[in-house]
Amino acid sequence: MTVLIATLGYDEKFQLRAVGRWFGRGLSKVVVVGSFDDDKARRALSSLEDYLDKLGIQHERVEVNPHDMTDIVVKVGKLLASLAGQDVVVNLSGGMRIIIIGVLAAIILREAKVTIEVETEDFAHLATFTSGDLMPVRLTEDHIKVLKAIREGYTTINSIHGYLGMPLSTTWRKVKDLKDQGLVVEDNGRLSLTLKAVVEIELHSFS
């Protein structure tokens, strides 16, 4: 089951689209984060909640103070803690910028494992990444060599070991480090790069 957390401002269109994407894919609950003192914000919230009621989806709201970053981070941090172990998607396509940044800060500080999605204003593109992509990494030259080898198509520990001439035990440790830091994933014995790894390779070429 999936819980959708969505930031909301004066317009609910992005949140409605997010619900539409996840409805039928195990969506069990929607949590709306925002400030609802303004009439326009309340109307957007009411419209979204009416839609969720029609679909039979459980929902709740987390009201935050947009003038108090601590309030945003603490309330969202407590929400994330209460959802630990569940599949959580955070949609940041709408709402006030300061609330969006506060939600991101809470995710990073809590080291919450969530999927994050942001839709462009023209609805043409949906960017999706994991919270792990936001976490800092510690890489050596050997780590970078392994990442580049995987990019070149060497997707097993043995093939990386042969391609780089790196001792097998060292190759195994470097791959484990990369997996632990969210840079590499393994599926059916094959290694692949995450978005975070691709970015790190590109940034490393300028360092």
Side-chain angles (χ1 to χ4, degrees):
M1 305 301 281
T2 299
V3 177
L4 173 66
I5 299 174
T7 51
L8 178 66
Y10 295 155
D11 190 330
E12 71 279 16
K13 62 180 181 293
F14 289 110
Q15 295 73 27
L16 294 174
R17 289 170 62 83
V19 171
R21 275 192 303 275
W22 290 98
F23 186 67
R25 297 167 61 188
L27 180 62
S28 61
K29 182 178 181 180
V30 175
V31 183
V32 185
V33 180
S35 173
F36 310 115
D37 290 336
D38 185 276
D39 285 342
K40 290 187 289 185
R42 284 195 294 270
R43 283 196 295 270
L45 176 64
S46 177
S47 174
L48 177 59
E49 290 181 336
D50 286 347
Y51 181 66
L52 294 171
D53 286 338
K54 290 177 182 177
L55 294 177
I57 298 174
Q58 181 183 357
H59 56 84
E60 66 180 68
R61 67 184 74 166
V62 175
E63 188 160 4
V64 296
N65 181 356
H67 305 293
D68 185 346
M69 179 62 80
T70 300
D71 181 71
I72 300 169
V73 174
V74 169
K75 287 181 177 176
V76 175
K78 288 180 178 178
L79 169 65
L80 292 168
S82 73
L83 298 173
Q86 300 186 55
D87 290 331
V88 178
V89 176
V90 181
N91 184 285
L92 300 176
S93 302
M96 299 175 67
R97 289 187 294 269
I98 191 168
I99 294 177
I100 292 170
I101 292 174
V103 172
L104 281 173
I107 290 169
I108 293 170
L109 290 171
R110 293 291 312 181
E111 297 186 4
K113 298 184 186 303
V114 302
T115 298
I116 302 167
E117 59 178 27
V118 184
E119 192 170 12
T120 56
E121 285 77 359
D122 62 359
F123 309 131
H125 179 66
L126 180 72
T128 304
F129 53 98
T130 70
S131 52
D133 294 328
L134 302 175
M135 304 304 171
V137 296
R138 294 176 177 83
L139 300 177
T140 65
E141 288 295 327
D142 281 346
H143 288 118
I144 295 296
K145 288 177 181 178
V146 171
L147 291 176
K148 289 181 176 179
I150 295 172
R151 184 180 63 179
E152 293 300 315
Y154 298 91
T155 59
T156 65
I157 290 178
N158 281 334
S159 65
I160 295 168
H161 151 69
Y163 174 65
L164 296 177
M166 184 181 289
L168 188 58
S169 60
T170 302
T171 306
W172 185 89
R173 286 197 306 272
K174 298 305 177 185
V175 169
K176 183 179 184 303
D177 288 344
L178 294 169
K179 290 166 68 175
D180 289 345
Q181 296 188 76
L183 293 155
V184 170
V185 293
E186 185 172 3
D187 184 31
N188 292 324
R190 297 287 176 179
L191 302 168
S192 62
L193 304 179
T194 64
L195 170 64
K196 187 176 186 178
V198 174
V199 172
E200 286 294 334
I201 292 171
E202 294 301 321
L203 291 177
H204 187 80
S205 65
F206 290 98
S207 61

